[in-house]
């Protein structure tokens, strides 16, 4: 007798089991049976990076990242993330009767604000500045490790955090400056720095950076914003109107800024750093408080009669919010500046030099954010592969699927190693080598001399920003495909945990944000042709010796990979020797590719040699050999033998025996 057919309905039939997304990082000791964090963490790459750059004594760091990885998956946090993503910032430019709204024109959601507060409390920025001179670990690795596990839930609050980090780095350089003819500047900068590096949501600030104008994105040479010193009469008029202090009671600066900024992220921040022209020529950097006191008080709501000062925007008019493909939760706006009061940072006319302190940090943050999004995407793919059935079997046991996902994991592994090398260099630049490098597995990677660290970081920061951000966009597209049609949908159920489309949209900005790939290529050429760096030959005198020092520990089993790295270095040296500046610019992206292979290849080989683990060795082999300048060749071993390693790279060691049984 034929079995009667049963139709599915909205409540009956097949329903896909929900994947279970584990925390990215699990600290040593959390599992009594574990060998180390690299065997129990879902994101093995992050665990390996922490193992390379941190001493075994840095248990506080590991525990903090462990805890934040779990908080990032908590339903209360995910609820805020969905709120920020689905309820976008709103601009209310006019009052009821049509006047310009100078008091509270920009509204953001409670979810957005709550996520910022979590970032403050967890010290995502602050830990990079705490215990200066006392920490016996790389504070930048600590900070960016937190950011790596937080970004998946942070819903673009990582953007203002990165600019806050950059602003804190800049102001730290000028806290000790004499006031000169700007009386009160030192105290203003000290107070701003204290707030930028605070963990207390009641006092902590974020910072914006206002440089982009209609004349050009990353090209600031056409800046039309103008700054000039206020006259005695103008200062007197502001004093008479009660406009002498910023929102927290610090004095407003003696400079007046007018102009138009076409693209400003984190418009809800409490301060900003901007570029403007002055009468002496060139561009200067300015510190701008977002709000100022009006001289009036808000009526008290308390029985004690205590009143709060009424504040307004500091000569800033938010013209409109940008409607973007992604980053919807982030308030990005066009700003008109009219009589905006501020303080000159550093020396007049040296603004581009000053602003580079911020760009170095935000470009590192862009690369790290790209890797962080990619990490979440692959985590979703791993979890999905363990529950999704196709043709009677789980995806986790499908050889074609494993091959594909293993290849994508190798790319992520390489990109993240490259990014965190830059992070480690930044930390070593700010701290003492003996304090944070000696005794770690990074001794062969981090130069001892500050000038070498600084030059290497100057060369590689644009490489990391360009190559990692582009690779992560490609990688996230693959992750979307892994989930099929579900990956293309805006899934805000389960706290948006599986909303791959949102991650993809937000990640798309990273190859553009803080300079496109072409801008990064031009920046690298600028380094290569700067006779002040590396004795006039930064590749031959600095990078090449670094490469050979790192690779001297490579054994014969990686000889082919060693030779591929050297071939890229030789090609790069030959290109620089024969080409003039114009040709170097023409070949800019080719140069980025060479530098990526040389440095990342060294890092992967070093990781494989220091760990002696076959998965790390396989990752190094696969990534480096995919970059061979010779015609591409697939590993000659039987493909069936490769399935086992595919699964281990993608999923870890857990399924090795199962795959062998299937084959």
């Amino acid at each position: 007798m034929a079995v009667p057919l049963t139709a599915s309905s909205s409540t009956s039939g097949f329903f896909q089991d929900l994947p279970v997304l584990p925390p990215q990082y699990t600290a040593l000791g959390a599992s009594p049976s574990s060998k180390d964090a690299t065997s129990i963490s879902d994101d093995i790459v992050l665990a390996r990076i922490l193992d390379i750059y941190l001493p075994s004594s840095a248990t506080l760091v590991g525990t903090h990242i462990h805890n934040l990885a779990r908080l990032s998956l908590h339903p209360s946090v995910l609820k805020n993330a969905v709120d920020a993503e689905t309820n976008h910032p709103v601009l209310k430019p006019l009052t009821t009767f049509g006047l310009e709204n100078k008091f509270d024109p920009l509204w953001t959601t409670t979810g957005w604000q709550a996520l910022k507060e979590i970032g403050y409390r967890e010290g995502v920025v602050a830990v990079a500045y705490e215990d200066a001179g006392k920490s016996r670990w790389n504070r930048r690795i600590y900070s960016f490790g937190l950011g790596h596990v937080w970004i998946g839930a942070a819903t673009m609050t990582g953007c203002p955090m990165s600019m806050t980090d950059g602003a804190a780095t800049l102001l730290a350089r000028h806290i000790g400056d004499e006031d000169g003819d700007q009386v009160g500047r030192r105290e203003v900068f000290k107070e701003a720095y204290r707030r930028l590096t605070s963990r207390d949501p009641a006092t902590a600030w974020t910072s914006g950076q206002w440089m982009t104008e209609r004349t050009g994105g990353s090209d600031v040479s056409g800046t039309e914003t103008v700054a000039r010193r206020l006259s005695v009469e103008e200062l007197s008029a502001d004093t008479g109107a009660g406009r002498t202090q910023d929102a927290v009671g610090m004095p407003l600066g003696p400079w007046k800024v007018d102009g138009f900024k076409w693209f400003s992220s984190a418009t809800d921040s409490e301060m900003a750093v901007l570029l403007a022209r002055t009468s002496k020529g060139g561009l200067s950097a300015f510190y701008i408080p977002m709000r100022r006191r009006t001289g009036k008080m808000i009526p008290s709501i308390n029985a004690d009669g205590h009143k709060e000062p009424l504040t307004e925007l500091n000569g800033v008019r938010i013209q409109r919010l940008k409607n973007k493909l992604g980053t919807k939760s982030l308030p990005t706006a066009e700003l008109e500046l009219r009589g905006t009061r501020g303080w000159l940072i550093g020396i007049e006319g040296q603004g581009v030099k000053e602003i580079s302190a911020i760009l170095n940090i935000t470009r590192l943050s862009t690369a790290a954010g790209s890797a962080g999004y990619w990490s979440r995407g692959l985590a979703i793919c791993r979890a999905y592969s363990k529950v999704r059935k196709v043709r009677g079997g789980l995806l986790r046991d499908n050889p074609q699927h494993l091959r594909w996902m293993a290849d994508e994991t190798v790319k992520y592994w390489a990109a993240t190693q490259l990014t965190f090398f830059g992070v480690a260099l930044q930390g070593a630049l700010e701290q003492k080598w003996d304090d944070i490098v000696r005794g770690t597995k990074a001794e062969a990677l981090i130069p001892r001399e500050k000038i070498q660290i600084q030059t290497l970081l100057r060369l590689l920061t644009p490489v990391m920003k360009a190559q990692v951000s582009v690779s992560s966009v490609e990688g996230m597209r693959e992750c979307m495909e892994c989930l099929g049609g579900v990956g293309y949908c805006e899934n805000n159920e389960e706290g948006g945990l599986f909303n791959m489309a949102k991650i993809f949209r937000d990640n798309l900005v990273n190859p553009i944000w803080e300079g496109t790939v072409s801008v990064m290529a031009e920046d690298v050429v600028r380094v290569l042709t700067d006779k002040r760096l590396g004795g006039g030959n930064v590749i031959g005198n600095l990078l090449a010796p670094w490469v050979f020092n790192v690779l001297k520990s490579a054994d014969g089993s990686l000889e082919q990979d060693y030779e591929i790295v050297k071939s890229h270095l030789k090609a790069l040296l030959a290109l620089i020797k024969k080409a003039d500046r114009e040709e170097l610019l023409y070949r800019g992206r080719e140069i980025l590719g060479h530098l990526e292979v040389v440095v990342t290849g060294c890092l992967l080989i070093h990781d494989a040699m220091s760990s002696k683990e076959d998965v790390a060795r396989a990752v190094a082999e696969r990534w480096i050999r995919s970059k061979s300048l010779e015609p591409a060749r697939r590993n000659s071993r039987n493909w069936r033998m490769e399935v086992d390693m595919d699964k281990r790279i993608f999923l870890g060691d857990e399924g090795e025996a199962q795959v062998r049984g299937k084959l």
Side-chain angles (χ1 to χ4, degrees):
M1 180 181 294
V3 177
L5 298 177
T6 303
S8 60
S9 71
S10 61
T11 57
S12 64
F14 172 79
F15 289 92
Q16 174 62 53
D17 291 338
L18 275 174
V20 177
L21 201 61
Q24 289 165 269
Y25 178 74
T26 298
L28 179 63
S31 173
S33 62
S34 67
K35 295 180 295 182
D36 54 42
T38 62
S39 67
I40 52 179
S41 298
D42 186 60
D43 188 341
I44 297 174
V45 186
L46 175 62
R48 297 188 66 81
I49 286 167
L50 298 180
D51 183 59
I52 291 170
Y53 294 109
L54 295 177
S56 59
S57 59
T59 54
L60 179 152
V61 177
T63 300
H64 191 178
I65 297 174
H66 170 102
N67 291 337
L68 185 56
R70 283 146 182 80
L71 180 63
S72 299
L73 299 175
H74 196 275
S76 63
V77 173
L78 298 176
K79 178 180 179 180
N80 289 322
V82 171
D83 179 42
E85 172 62 18
T86 56
N87 298 302
H88 303 153
V90 175
L91 182 62
K92 299 179 180 293
L94 302 177
T95 67
T96 299
F97 296 103
L99 293 174
E100 180 184 350
N101 183 1
K102 299 179 181 179
F103 302 102
D104 59 347
L106 178 61
W107 290 19
T108 56
T109 70
T110 55
W112 171 262
Q113 295 159 16
L115 292 172
K116 288 180 68 175
E117 290 180 2
I118 293 172
Y120 295 143
R121 285 195 297 269
E122 293 296 328
V124 175
V125 171
V127 298
Y129 300 89
E130 292 174 344
D131 300 322
K134 299 179 182 178
S135 299
R136 296 299 175 179
W137 53 71
N138 191 314
R139 296 196 305 268
R140 285 291 173 183
I141 292 291
Y142 184 7
S143 174
F144 278 71
L146 290 172
H148 191 78
V149 300
W150 173 236
I151 192 169
T155 313
M156 289 310 303
T157 57
C159 176
M161 289 294 181
S162 70
M163 292 186 289
T164 299
D165 193 353
T169 296
L170 175 59
L171 291 184
R173 298 182 179 184
H174 294 285
I175 285 178
D177 291 356
E178 297 295 332
D179 282 350
D181 61 354
Q182 298 187 92
V183 179
R185 180 176 64 172
R186 179 189 291 184
E187 292 304 313
V188 169
F189 284 7
K190 282 184 178 179
E191 177 63 11
Y193 176 81
R194 182 183 75 84
R195 290 176 176 273
L196 291 172
T197 58
S198 173
R199 288 203 197 195
D200 182 2
T203 60
W205 280 1
T206 56
S207 176
Q209 59 188 54
W210 303 345
M211 282 162 277
T212 304
E213 301 194 5
R214 290 177 298 225
T215 53
S218 300
D219 182 5
V220 297
S221 62
T223 295
E224 297 176 327
T225 301
V226 175
R228 66 173 177 82
R229 289 293 295 256
L230 288 162
S231 66
V232 174
E233 293 75 17
E234 288 172 318
L235 287 170
S236 178
D238 270 3
T239 300
R243 294 193 298 268
T244 60
Q245 297 178 322
D246 65 19
V248 296
M250 299 303 291
L252 290 172
W255 287 82
K256 172 180 177 288
V257 181
D258 297 298
F260 190 88
K261 298 298 183 180
W262 189 73
F263 197 96
S264 66
S265 288
T267 311
D268 62 330
S269 294
E270 290 79 10
M271 62 157 284
V273 176
L274 62 78
L275 290 175
R277 295 193 179 280
T278 65
S279 59
K280 290 186 178 180
L283 294 171
S284 298
F286 291 88
Y287 161 88
I288 301 294
M290 189 69 176
R291 302 184 71 84
R292 65 192 179 198
R293 294 184 177 181
T294 65
K296 299 178 181 179
M297 304 297 286
I298 301 174
S300 174
I301 60 172
N302 300 321
D304 60 8
H306 178 72
K307 296 181 179 180
E308 297 285 340
L310 180 65
T311 66
E312 65 181 6
L313 293 176
N314 176 26
V316 178
R317 178 178 176 270
I318 304 174
Q319 176 163 297
R320 65 171 172 173
L321 296 177
K322 296 290 193 180
N323 187 10
K324 300 157 292 180
L325 172 63
T327 70
K328 298 286 190 178
S329 59
L330 177 68
T332 307
E334 297 176 10
L335 304 177
E336 183 180 18
L337 310 180
R338 285 291 177 264
T340 302
R341 295 274 295 271
W343 301 84
L344 174 68
I345 301 173
I347 300 173
E348 190 173 348
Q350 296 189 10
V352 174
K353 178 182 178 182
E354 296 290 351
I355 223 73
S356 66
I358 294 180
L359 290 178
N360 289 338
I361 298 296
T362 53
R363 286 175 176 173
L364 271 180
S365 296
T366 302
S370 299
Y373 282 133
W374 201 353
S375 173
R376 172 57 66 87
L378 284 169
I380 295 171
C381 289
R382 280 192 294 274
Y384 183 72
S385 299
K386 295 174 184 178
V387 299
R388 178 61 175 166
K389 289 185 177 180
V390 176
R391 299 180 183 88
L394 292 172
L395 274 179
R396 59 176 295 159
D397 297 321
N398 183 298
Q400 181 201 146
H401 179 76
L402 291 172
R403 174 89 250 188
W404 172 36
M405 284 289 104
D407 285 345
E408 293 307 307
T409 303
V410 165
K411 295 172 188 175
Y412 162 71
W413 189 308
T416 307
Q417 285 278 13
L418 177 61
T419 298
F420 273 86
F421 176 58
V423 172
L425 288 175
Q426 182 66 39
L429 191 61
E430 298 169 348
Q431 297 174 259
K432 295 180 180 178
W433 193 94
D434 284 333
D435 287 346
I436 67 169
V437 180
R438 184 179 297 280
T440 70
K441 294 179 181 179
E443 283 191 354
L445 299 178
I446 309 296
R448 292 174 180 265
E449 300 298 325
K450 294 287 187 184
I451 187 62
Q452 293 182 350
I453 296 172
Q454 186 176 38
T455 305
L456 196 58
L457 187 61
R458 176 72 184 88
L459 171 68
L460 297 180
T461 297
V463 177
M464 297 166 188
K465 193 276 175 189
Q467 301 300 94
V468 175
S469 62
V470 170
S471 295
S472 73
V473 167
E474 297 170 351
M476 281 304 306
R477 194 216 63 78
E478 302 283 343
C479 290
M480 286 180 66
E481 183 184 342
C482 177
L483 269 66
V486 173
Y488 189 68
C489 294
E490 298 283 353
N491 303 301
N492 286 313
E493 300 77 16
E494 297 83 43
L497 199 57
F498 304 106
N499 194 342
M500 196 81 82
K502 170 194 174 295
I503 303 173
F504 179 71
R505 286 188 293 102
D506 286 350
N507 197 36
L508 280 172
V509 75
N510 284 327
I512 301 170
W513 173 250
E514 300 297 35
T516 63
V517 176
S518 293
V519 171
M520 296 300 99
E522 291 177 3
D523 202 25
V524 167
V525 171
R526 193 174 294 114
V527 176
L528 297 179
T529 56
D530 191 334
K531 298 302 181 183
R532 300 168 298 177
L533 299 176
N537 183 0
V538 71
I539 302 299
N541 295 337
L542 177 61
L543 184 63
W546 178 85
V547 168
F548 294 122
N549 181 62
V550 173
L551 295 183
K552 65 184 180 183
S553 63
D555 60 31
S557 64
L558 289 171
E559 183 64 27
Q560 180 180 342
D561 311 285
Y562 181 85
E563 291 301 322
I564 291 173
V565 171
K566 287 198 298 183
S567 70
H568 278 271
L569 180 60
K570 291 177 181 177
L572 183 59
L573 286 166
L575 176 59
I576 294 171
K577 183 177 181 179
K578 74 177 182 63
D580 58 16
R581 187 174 185 278
E582 291 303 312
E583 184 177 353
L584 292 177
L585 288 171
Y586 172 74
R587 300 185 182 278
R589 295 189 180 221
E590 179 183 341
I591 293 170
L592 288 175
H594 283 314
L595 287 168
E596 179 191 20
V597 174
V598 169
V599 177
T600 306
C602 287
L603 296 172
L604 293 175
I605 290 174
H606 173 269
D607 185 21
M609 291 296 93
S610 62
S611 68
K612 305 298 183 183
E613 293 182 8
D614 54 353
V615 171
R617 183 182 295 269
V619 168
E621 290 178 352
R622 289 188 180 194
W623 191 84
I624 295 171
R625 293 177 191 185
S626 74
K627 304 296 181 179
S628 175
L629 294 175
E630 300 297 324
R633 288 192 307 169
R634 191 63 184 168
N635 195 301
S636 59
R637 287 184 292 184
N638 184 281
W639 73 270
R640 292 180 180 273
M641 296 175 61
E642 290 294 292
V643 172
D644 173 55
M645 186 54 69
D646 291 341
K647 188 161 192 176
R648 293 178 64 193
I649 290 173
F650 176 47
L651 297 174
D653 289 337
E654 60 175 317
E656 178 179 356
Q658 295 175 12
V659 174
R660 288 176 177 167
K662 294 286 184 182
L663 298 178

